[in-house]
């Protein structure tokens, strides 16, 4: 605010014959110049979030004159009730542009400044992984290679897909899309099943923010463990002795699990 005072001097002269009578009067007026202004710092706050995430944006002034008021906009549309220096955004699902207009007011005079930021939403996607073979069967002591495969659900998704397996029992590794599985049956089991869970995880990182999406599938490996026990061989010959060119019947009685 700048004020300047002006003075006006009025002089009057009355002349009568040879007489001249002067008179003076002064008056003043003060003019006030209102000079509102505002300059803004860049909008602060997390400008990259995960799908359905939230963030708080804030604006500050580095120099201003006057009373400040605020109005936030989304894609150039005014947001009702968003008239403070901060704004909280939640359940974000797509990239949007946010702008704040700050007005400095002195008397009836105003001045405005604005700042903008684009909030980006990271949305990694992944399909349910398939496992090949889907129903593997092995013999005791054997192994089978399990291969998992998943893809992105959305075109243009540039996230990285990784795989983890559990439990680790019988696996040569728990990471990667391909593992070697060699589960074992216990000695008294003719058949054993081992179920593995594979988790496909899509990961994308930007602006210091990492977002993930996961989906699981299972595969069951069947292990066959046949066992056989032989009793002593018996013969129909006396003392297991026969004559030359004779014959004998040998008998054995196996037992166990097929």
């Amino acid at each position: 605010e700048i004020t300047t005072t002006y003075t006006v001097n009025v002089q009057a002269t009355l002349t009568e014959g040879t007489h001249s009578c002067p008179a003076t009067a002064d008056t003043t007026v003060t003019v006030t110049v209102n000079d509102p202004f505002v300059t803004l710092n860049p909008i602060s706050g997390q400008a990259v979030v995960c799908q359905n995430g939230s963030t708080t944006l804030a604006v500050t002034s580095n120099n201003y004159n006057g009373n400040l008021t605020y109005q936030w906009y989304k894609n150039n549309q005014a947001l009702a009730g968003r008239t403070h220096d901060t704004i909280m955004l939640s359940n974000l699902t797509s990239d949007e542009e946010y702008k704040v207009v700050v007005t400095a007011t002195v008397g009836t005079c105003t001045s405005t400044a604005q700042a903008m930021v684009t909030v980006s939403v990271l949305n990694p996607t992944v399909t349910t992984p398939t496992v090949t073979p889907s129903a593997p069967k092995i013999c005791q002591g054997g192994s089978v290679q399990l291969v998992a495969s998943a893809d992105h659900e959305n075109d243009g998704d540039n996230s990285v897909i990784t795989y983890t397996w559990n439990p680790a029992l019988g696996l040569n590794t728990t990471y990667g899309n391909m593992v070697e599985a060699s589960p074992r049956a216990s000695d008294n089991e003719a058949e054993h099943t081992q179920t593995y869970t594979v988790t496909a995880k899509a990961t994308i990182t930007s602006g210091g923010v990492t977002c993930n999406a996961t989906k699981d599938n299972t595969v069951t490996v069947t292990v066959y463990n046949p066992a056989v026990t032989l009793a002593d061989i018996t013969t129909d010959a006396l003392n297991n002795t026969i004559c030359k060119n004779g014959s004998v019947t040998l008998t054995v009685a196996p037992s166990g699990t097929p």
Side-chain angles (χ1 to χ4, degrees), residues 28-192:
T28 61
V29 62
T30 299
V31 177
T32 300
V33 179
N34 291 331
D35 183 25
F37 61 86
V38 57
T39 57
L40 302 178
N41 295 311
I43 292 175
S44 62
Q46 184 62 55
V48 179
V49 299
C50 297
Q51 180 79 352
N52 298 315
S54 61
T55 186
T56 297
L57 305 179
V59 66
T60 58
S61 170
N62 54 38
N63 192 20
Y64 70 93
N65 178 45
N67 296 319
L68 300 183
T69 56
Y70 304 85
Q71 177 62 61
W72 289 87
Y73 296 78
K74 173 182 174 181
N75 297 329
N76 288 321
Q77 298 295 316
L79 297 172
R82 302 303 184 96
T83 55
H84 300 282
D85 57 352
T86 62
I87 182 173
M88 183 174 180
L89 308 170
S90 58
N91 298 318
L92 300 175
T93 58
S94 60
D95 297 354
E96 308 288 356
E97 183 184 78
Y98 293 88
K99 175 178 70 176
V100 61
V101 175
V102 181
T103 301
T105 301
V106 177
T108 59
C109 302
T110 61
S111 177
T112 63
Q114 65 181 34
M116 291 184 293
V117 65
T118 296
V119 177
S120 300
V121 178
L122 303 182
N123 183 26
T125 62
V126 65
T127 60
T128 299
T130 59
V131 180
T132 306
S134 59
K137 297 175 174 60
I138 61 173
C139 296
Q140 180 81 332
S143 64
V144 62
Q145 190 177 77
L146 304 176
V147 180
S149 178
D151 204 349
H152 299 111
E153 290 182 341
N154 296 337
D155 293 337
D157 186 346
N158 60 351
S159 57
V160 176
I161 298 177
T162 57
Y163 303 85
T164 56
W165 302 75
N166 70 83
L169 182 66
L171 297 180
N172 67 327
T173 181
T174 57
Y175 299 97
N177 72 310
M178 184 169 57
V179 297
E180 193 82 13
S182 52
R184 294 184 60 85
S186 60
D187 291 340
N188 60 350
E189 282 184 300
E191 182 178 309
H192 172 77

Side-chain angles (χ1 to χ4, degrees), residues 179-238:
V179 297
E180 193 82 13
S182 52
R184 294 184 60 85
S186 60
D187 291 340
N188 60 350
E189 282 184 300
E191 182 178 309
H192 172 77
T193 58
Q194 176 65 57
T195 299
Y196 296 101
T197 299
V198 58
T199 300
K201 180 170 71 173
T203 302
I204 187 170
T205 299
S206 178
V209 175
T210 298
C211 303
N212 300 306
T214 61
K215 284 190 179 175
D216 299 334
N217 202 358
T218 60
V219 60
T220 298
V221 180
T222 301
V223 182
Y224 295 114
N225 183 29
V228 62
T229 301
L230 296 179
D232 291 338
I233 299 175
T234 60
T235 72
D236 59 356
L238 181 62

